[in-house]
Amino acid sequence: AWNSRRAHQLKAYVDWIYTIFPFEKDFYVKYNCHNVTYVGNPSVEEVALYHQQHVVSKPATATKPIIALLPGSRPQEIRRILPTMLALIPHLPDYQFVVAAVSELRQELYQIAIETVGVQVIYDQTYDILSRASTAIVASGTATLETALFKVPQVVVYQTDRLTYFIAKHLVKLRYISLVNILAGKEVVRELIQHQLTTKNLLKAMEEIIYNTDFRQEQLGNYAAIRD
C-alpha cells in the first residue's frame, strides 16, 4: 500500500509468496509475481482457538453492556484517539466502557482513562474484552478484523499528524483503511478518519450500530461473509 513498486524487489529475491489476505494474490499477479498462494489468515484460527479454550460468560459484576475501546498499539495513536473515545461516556450512560490496553506501553498513555469515572482499563486481554463486548470502537489495524471475527459491531477510527496523513493520502491508493471494508470491497463498518473523528460524528456512528437494528444485523451478516 505504501510503495507498490517493492513488489518488483520481492519478485527478484523470493521464489514463492504465501499471503494472508485473498486480495494480495491479485495484487502480486499485476506485477508478474505468479508464484503466489493465499493460505488463509491466522486471526481466524486464533479466534477459533480462543473460543475452544474459553467458556465466555458475563462477569457477575457487569450490570451494563460493554463498549470496548481499542485505541491501537502505538503511543501516537493512543494519544490522539483515546480522548475522543472517552468523550462519549456522558452521552452513553447505559454502557460500561472498557479500554483494551497494552502493558508494554507506558501507563501514562492510559492515564486519562484510568482517571475517568466509569471506565475500566484492562491490560493484555483484548480477546477477553471483545468476547464480552456488545459494540466496539477500534483503531484501524488488525484489531478491526479480530473484532469482526468476534462478531462485535464496530466503528473504525484513525487519526495521525497532518504531515503523515498528507503523505499517506498521496501514496496509499485505497478506498478504505479498515481490513473489514477492504476484504468486503464495500463499506461494512463506518470509518472516521482524521478530521472526521469528532465526538459528534463518533456518537452518531455508535448510535447507528446500537439503535439501528437493521444496520447492526447487516454488519453482522457481512462479518459472516468475510469470515467465510
Side-chain angles (χ1 to χ4, degrees), residues 64-65 67 69 85-97 118 135 137 199 202-211:
K64 299 179 180 179
I67 294 178
L69 304 180
M85 290 178 165
L86 296 174
L88 293 191
I89 294 173
H91 302 282
L92 297 170
D94 296 329
Y95 287 82
Q96 167 72 53
F97 286 75
T135 53
I137 307 172
T199 302
L202 185 54
L203 177 61
K204 181 180 178 182
M206 283 298 290
E207 288 177 335
E208 186 175 35
I209 58 175
I210 291 172
Y211 302 118

Side-chain angles (χ1 to χ4, degrees), residues 151-181:
K151 305 176 186 178
V152 179
Q154 65 181 304
V155 176
V156 175
V157 299
Y158 199 77
Q159 200 170 64
T160 186
D161 64 85
R162 291 183 180 181
L163 178 59
T164 301
Y165 180 70
F166 177 80
I167 294 171
K169 284 287 287 183
H170 285 77
L171 292 179
V172 180
K173 305 302 180 183
L174 293 174
R175 185 178 177 185
Y176 304 109
I177 72 161
S178 68
L179 287 171
V180 174
N181 289 345

Side-chain angles (χ1 to χ4, degrees), residues 69-209:
L69 304 180
L70 281 64
S73 57
R74 297 182 179 89
Q76 179 179 300
E77 295 173 349
I78 297 168
R79 289 193 192 97
R80 290 179 175 272
I81 294 170
L82 186 55
T84 306
M85 290 178 165
L86 296 174
L88 293 191
I89 294 173
H91 302 282
L92 297 170
D94 296 329
Y95 287 82
Q96 167 72 53
F97 286 75
V98 179
V99 177
V102 181
S103 62
E104 63 188 39
L105 298 178
R106 297 191 306 276
Q107 181 177 308
E108 66 188 52
L109 290 169
Y110 303 106
Q111 199 63 37
I112 185 175
I114 294 170
E115 296 174 354
T116 301
V117 176
V119 177
Q120 281 186 285
V121 179
I122 299 177
Y123 291 89
D124 305 327
Q125 296 182 46
T126 299
Y127 280 12
D128 286 340
I129 295 170
L130 287 174
S131 70
R132 293 173 169 85
S134 63
T135 53
I137 307 172
V138 187
S140 181
T142 304
T144 63
L145 176 58
E146 292 172 324
T147 302
L149 293 172
F150 272 94
K151 305 176 186 178
V152 179
Q154 65 181 304
V155 176
V156 175
V157 299
Y158 199 77
Q159 200 170 64
T160 186
D161 64 85
R162 291 183 180 181
L163 178 59
T164 301
Y165 180 70
F166 177 80
I167 294 171
K169 284 287 287 183
H170 285 77
L171 292 179
V172 180
K173 305 302 180 183
L174 293 174
R175 185 178 177 185
Y176 304 109
I177 72 161
S178 68
L179 287 171
V180 174
N181 289 345
I182 292 171
L183 286 165
K186 62 180 180 180
E187 186 184 57
V188 172
V189 299
R190 300 293 187 223
E191 296 182 351
L192 299 178
I193 311 303
Q194 209 62 7
H195 65 278
Q196 298 172 338
L197 180 54
T198 64
T199 302
K200 180 180 178 181
N201 288 343
L202 185 54
L203 177 61
K204 181 180 178 182
M206 283 298 290
E207 288 177 335
E208 186 175 35
I209 58 175

